[in-house]
Amino acid sequence: MNNIFGVRVMEEYIHMCSDGVRQGWHERNGGNLTYRMRGEEVAECRPYFRKEPGGWVPMGVQADNLKGEYFISTGSGKFLQNVSMEPQNNICIVEINENGDSYRIVWGLENGGRPTSEFPTHFMNHSVRKRVTDGANRVIYHAHTPYVIALTFVLPLKAEVFTRMLWKSATECCVVFPGGVGVVPWMVPGGAEIAKATCVQMEQYDAAVWAFHGLFVSGPDFDTAFGLMHTIEKAAQIASIALSASPDGKLRQVITDDNIRQIGKEFGVTLNEDVLNYRSEDGMYC
């Protein structure tokens, strides 16, 4: 191995950035990806760290359970389509200080820059997901998924409504995200308000819809997180097409609640019964 790009975690991280670009989810500098590194991965990358790390940068947020952790992050204002060509200028590895409230760059962004502007949002949600999954979740991924965004214009911004619509749009959705998806109303990106609102959703869900903005997901590894994003977006695409094809906005037939319960039983997953028991006042939205 002659450079850091031969380290498997870096290969997988770069590959995921490229996968999202191929899906059309990352126009310009849209979207971001962070990964909480394992100790052995840090050790593999350490020989390629800067001789002199960058200065400590306060994040404006704090998490005790992330003290001393290392993260791979996309850069603020960087285009994900350029990550595979020049990773050293578009992504970075950051170290969190022993107070859990500041970071410093130890590798990457050689031409200058800082981690994604939404790093504090990612950081706070990494803290939540680390706690509620006993350390299993390591990936947080945000993308501008067009069909999910489209649904936020036509569906009530409720977790139960979105989850029911997505579950009923493709047979295996309830297996991929049996807990459902959260929903965050529109907020200015990158600020404390959206970070806190997303944390509330991530206490319960693996994914949260950001109204008029995109999707925010977490997972234990790159494949699982990307697969969750991909599954939700494809279900949203099917739902958008079906709703558009219906002259009155109502669907003639759908996967029923009993069908979904049967799928859950067959696949051995625990479904969110609050979602299955939800009924909108007008009887619409499945």
Side-chain angles (χ1 to χ4, degrees):
M1 187 188 306
N2 296 322
N3 57 56
I4 197 170
F5 308 124
V7 177
R8 183 172 181 82
V9 68
M10 299 299 288
E11 292 177 339
E12 292 178 346
Y13 182 96
I14 294 167
H15 179 72
M16 183 162 166
C17 290
S18 297
D19 277 348
V21 171
R22 281 190 287 270
Q23 294 297 325
W25 298 341
H26 297 289
E27 77 292 340
R28 202 173 180 272
N29 63 320
N32 30 66
L33 172 65
T34 56
Y35 173 76
R36 181 170 60 84
M37 301 176 74
R38 300 178 186 275
E40 60 269 26
E41 294 166 340
V42 175
E44 285 185 275
C45 292
R46 192 179 297 278
Y48 309 103
F49 286 178
R50 298 177 180 179
K51 291 181 179 180
E52 294 293 333
W56 292 108
V57 179
M59 294 182 288
V61 296
Q62 191 274 341
D64 285 340
N65 67 344
L66 296 179
K67 293 177 179 179
E69 295 269 19
Y70 288 78
F71 292 87
I72 310 174
S73 174
T74 44
S76 178
K78 303 298 183 179
F79 293 21
L80 265 70
Q81 67 187 22
N82 294 334
V83 169
S84 62
M85 294 185 294
E86 291 189 327
Q88 71 277 10
N89 293 323
N90 291 283
I91 63 175
C92 61
I93 296 175
V94 301
E95 176 188 6
I96 305 302
N97 70 351
E98 289 305 316
N99 291 325
D101 61 5
S102 300
Y103 72 82
R104 65 178 178 181
I105 297 174
V106 298
W107 176 87
L109 294 177
E110 293 180 3
N111 289 339
R114 57 189 176 89
T116 170
S117 61
E118 291 178 326
F119 189 78
T121 298
H122 281 237
F123 183 80
M124 289 177 65
N125 282 276
H126 271 291
S127 176
V128 171
R129 296 308 297 172
K130 181 180 181 181
R131 173 171 50 79
V132 301
T133 66
D134 293 324
N137 273 20
R138 292 183 173 274
V139 179
I140 285 185
Y141 181 38
H142 165 54
H144 296 172
T145 43
Y147 287 98
V148 167
I149 295 171
L151 285 184
T152 64
F153 286 88
V154 296
L155 294 184
L157 298 177
K158 294 179 176 290
E160 297 86 355
V161 173
F162 266 80
T163 300
R164 286 176 67 83
M165 180 63 72
L166 295 168
W167 278 359
K168 290 168 179 280
S169 295
T171 297
E172 295 181 6
C173 281
C174 65
V175 178
V176 177
F177 48 102
V181 298
V183 178
V184 176
W186 185 87
M187 295 179 182
V188 175
E193 185 179 9
I194 193 170
K196 292 175 182 178
T198 307
C199 281
V200 171
Q201 300 302 312
M202 300 304 275
E203 289 278 352
Q204 178 177 356
Y205 304 108
D206 295 325
V209 173
W210 281 357
F212 319 124
H213 188 164
L215 192 58
F216 190 92
V217 306
S218 67
D221 53 57
F222 296 112
D223 283 347
T224 303
F226 187 86
L228 177 59
M229 180 83 72
H230 200 186
T231 302
I232 292 173
E233 171 63 0
K234 181 171 279 189
Q237 180 179 8
I238 294 167
S240 296
I241 293 170
L243 289 170
S244 298
S246 174
D248 57 4
K250 294 184 178 180
L251 304 177
R252 180 169 296 178
Q253 57 265 328
V254 298
I255 302 170
T256 68
D257 291 352
D258 286 342
N259 292 154
I260 291 175
R261 289 189 174 95
Q262 184 180 1
I263 295 167
K265 182 179 179 181
E266 290 294 325
F267 282 83
V269 297
T270 301
L271 299 169
N272 187 339
E273 281 291 328
D274 290 340
V275 170
L276 288 171
N277 293 329
Y278 176 82
R279 293 293 182 275
S280 59
E281 293 181 2
D282 56 12
M284 294 182 66
Y285 312 113
C286 305

